[in-house]
């Protein structure tokens, strides 16, 4: 191997601490691929009706499947947009942060199932309560793993340390409130599923809003000015 | 973290406005993954015939499934080629542009279903009209979300502002005409499905042609010449 | 947008000719994703036997499914390794080269189906001839689209023009011979399927060998020395 | 093509030896995509129960499917974290290293099947022994292909040659011990499946720990100091 190649690609291996700390690019590619598959797979669950005179009506009768697809795509899409956003806030990936990310992603891949349990069984009065409780609980669990991932990233210093501490605090608070409200929604769903579902819907849709633009420590460059 | 690492990867976080504006790379990776999955999944819907003396004939009888696969691959492939092309025209991704992209991608993932409703039911005289109408409407909706994505990108300044304004206008016009003709095709399909389908086919295949080479503002480099 | 960002990422938009010519990275990511999905999906076709005393024997009886998986993975893996290799030989991607790549990738995604038609029906004497013919024809068609992609890339100057002309000629020759032999195998398969299959197997396995290391024009850097 | 573009992206084509040796980025993207698909696909095997009064109980009765999902995600997740880690240890990818990687990835994609054979048949006393043996054997085979990949990478000099030799030796030893113990677990499973399974579980979970931080030859930069 030539000297030029040896030095060509700088690595982040020098970090002490937990195993090997690296940049975020490969973690993002893996996460984006999981998001993309979770986003696309629910389509496979929509079954084409048989040919015949009732074909048009049968296509319309598939509305619970369409609804399941729309809900899956909406929730996964919102999380992806925020994951995309936080990709620039994280700076490195240590082993424990990777494990927390994997836990979060396993729920992203799973969410399509409770979504179907809710949407595809919504038209059956005996079944829809159970489906709705399952769905709201799954949304709360997903939010909790997102919060866990964020807290792990903060604790292991994988979050960009040039960020303004108040900004990081506001973000932590926002994620905590979201998870707290969704856990509350899950508890309410056991009592009155419509109320629990409504709260979960409001909290989830609130995340359609753009996240706050990151703020950085203004003085940092000045302090490091001697380099 | 060392100073070198802190400064290693520049980010686009400085943009004011809607949340966090970033470069296009991660959005493109996610979009390419969704395209790739949508491109490949339709194969799973081709069911292998049982063994026996009629195996060869049964393989040939699968032609509606092969046709559905070819049509899916063709439409998704054409959109991918144009998305690949426009990847170099966009410069940044804001939150609202991401949401518009997610809407477009959810239809890319969905298009395989109406394609099958059309192609796999084409041999049944009672069913094919409904399947064709559904398919042409889905093509029109897909085109409309592409246009929406483009207009959102223009409005939020995610489109490269060094592009020649006339070039951007011609592109906008082209997308508007395509969507308009497909909406017309959908309307016609309700009256005479063969005519609507034929118009949709012509408009779609017209996009096999290469897009116009981007044109940039000639004077810009001169103005910025002092850098 | 700041000046720094405007100039940050250089684009290849300046190329005249067919639409927008770009670097190969995004095409490679899309292609790699299609390869990865085509590589992984065949597993879904292996159906878990029911519980009961014959479970062990039922798992062994699945050998045609395992064989189909192994053959899919082998053929797609070999093509991926060569596509990975040629990724460094291509330099740019024009619109027509993208279309040829999409045609090739649609066959990469499709190949799992004829593979199953052959492997999963191999134990049935009445069916295996048809399955084998279908499989060998599909291998020939796949090789033909690979050759088409390569020839398109050469014709549209998407192949790195710093490569030694003799090296490019040897590569073209190799792809032509492979496709020719596979077309011959397909023809033979209609007469004697075992012979056609054996020839196709030998030609395919020959591609497990490493491709020749690329050779570049020695004088080129000297000519460009003044930069 | 302009001179600037010609020289823009440096390639690693100059390496002599087996075919074309390249950087690791594209191999990592392909591998990450296979990991992501293998990670996400098992969800498709969880079948939604029918609507009706027993819906809640039916959802709980799916625990073997949930267990299969959790086990798949756990094993694939652990391997991904280590593959992510070793991505910075490898420096280049030659043809034979690519083939060894493909073999490893084909088992990553396959592992979901023996996982289901174990977890989804665990409640049946007549079946679970067979399922457990199959699962432990598959874990041992997966570990063996990981070891093979690592040894191939070492042999073909694709591992970063700036790494401390003792560090590389410790890693090799660790992979050998893991594979040895899993092969032992597979042998034990044939005698007493509970014991074999327990050993395999302990060995697998031990890999949840962070890998050792890479160590580099201290003197190397000094020797190359004149550059």
């Amino acid at each position: 191997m030539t000297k030029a190649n040896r030095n060509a690609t700088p690595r982040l291996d020098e970090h002490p601490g937990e195993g090997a700390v690296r940049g975020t690019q490969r973690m993002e590619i893996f996460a984006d691929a999981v998001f993309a598959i979770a986003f696309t797979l629910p389509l496979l669950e929509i079954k084409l009706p048989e040919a015949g005179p009732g074909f048009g009506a049968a296509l319309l009768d598939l509305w619970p499947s369409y609804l399941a697809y729309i809900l899956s795509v909406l929730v996964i899409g919102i999380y992806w947009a925020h994951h995309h956003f936080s990709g620039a806030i994280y700076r490195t990936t240590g082993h424990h942060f990777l494990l927390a990310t994997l836990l979060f992603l396993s729920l992203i891949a799973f969410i399509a199932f409770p979504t179907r349990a809710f949407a595809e069984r919504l038209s059956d009065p005996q079944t829809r309560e159970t489906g709705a409780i399952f769905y709201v609980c799954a949304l709360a669990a997903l939010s909790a793993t997102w919060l866990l991932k964020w807290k792990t990233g903060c604790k292991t210093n994988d979050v960009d340390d040039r960020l303004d501490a108040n900004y990081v605090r506001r973000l932590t608070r926002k994620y905590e409130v979201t998870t707290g409200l969704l856990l509350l929604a899950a508890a309410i769903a056991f009592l009155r599923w419509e109320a629990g579902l409504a709260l979960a819907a409001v909290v989830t849709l609130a995340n359609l809003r753009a996240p706050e633009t990151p703020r950085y420590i203004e003085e940092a460059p000045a302090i490091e000015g001697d380099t």
Side-chain angles (χ1 to χ4, degrees), chain A:
Chain A
M1 196 178 268
T2 67
K3 279 181 188 180
N5 288 328
R6 267 190 206 167
N7 301 323
T9 23
R11 299 283 185 175
L12 294 170
D13 299 323
E14 308 81 17
H15 295 278
E18 35 150 356
V21 178
R22 315 233 174 284
T24 58
Q25 200 194 4
R26 268 197 72 196
M27 192 269 287
E28 290 184 0
I29 289 177
F30 176 75
D32 282 350
V34 171
F35 272 109
I37 302 157
F39 188 90
T40 316
L41 279 188
L43 185 79
L44 284 180
E45 307 290 0
I46 309 182
K47 301 297 170 206
L48 190 65
E50 289 304 306
F55 188 66
L59 281 178
L60 294 177
D61 283 349
L62 284 176
W63 68 262
S65 294
Y66 302 145
L67 178 64
Y69 181 69
I70 291 167
L71 288 180
S72 284
V73 150
L74 185 72
V75 169
I76 295 171
I78 289 174
Y79 270 100
W80 177 75
H82 285 272
H83 196 262
H84 177 91
F85 159 77
S86 71
I89 286 187
Y90 293 117
R91 209 69 178 163
T92 51
T93 55
H95 189 70
H96 294 106
F97 181 56
L98 286 185
L99 296 183
T101 300
L102 285 167
L103 181 65
F104 164 69
L105 290 174
S106 70
L107 273 159
I108 281 290
F110 183 72
I111 196 72
F113 182 69
T115 305
R116 289 177 61 217
F118 164 63
E120 296 197 14
R121 298 295 176 262
L122 188 57
S123 55
D124 183 69
Q126 288 185 300
T127 310
R128 66 182 159 211
E129 182 176 354
T130 307
I133 293 171
F134 186 24
Y135 184 44
V136 177
C137 288
L139 287 175
L142 179 56
S143 182
T145 58
W146 170 273
L147 180 63
L148 180 71
K149 178 171 81 79
W150 171 254
K151 292 222 162 178
T152 304
C154 288
K155 209 172 163 188
T156 56
N157 291 317
D158 288 315
V159 171
D160 195 344
D161 59 357
R162 299 175 308 171
L163 282 169
D164 179 30
N166 285 319
Y167 175 77
V168 173
R169 222 169 289 133
R170 278 199 300 279
L171 223 51
T172 305
R173 174 69 25 155
K174 186 184 150 199
Y175 298 154
E176 284 171 347
V177 168
T178 300
T179 302
L181 286 174
L182 283 172
L183 288 170
L184 182 67
I188 292 173
F190 280 94
L191 304 174
R192 270 203 65 184
W193 69 269
E194 297 95 335
L197 188 68
L199 178 56
V202 169
V203 174
T204 300
L205 292 175
N207 282 304
L208 275 174
R209 287 172 315 160
E212 191 194 353
T213 306
R215 278 172 227 293
Y216 291 88
I217 304 160
E218 291 298 316
E219 309 81 39
I223 293 166
E224 292 179 16
D226 3 37
T227 14

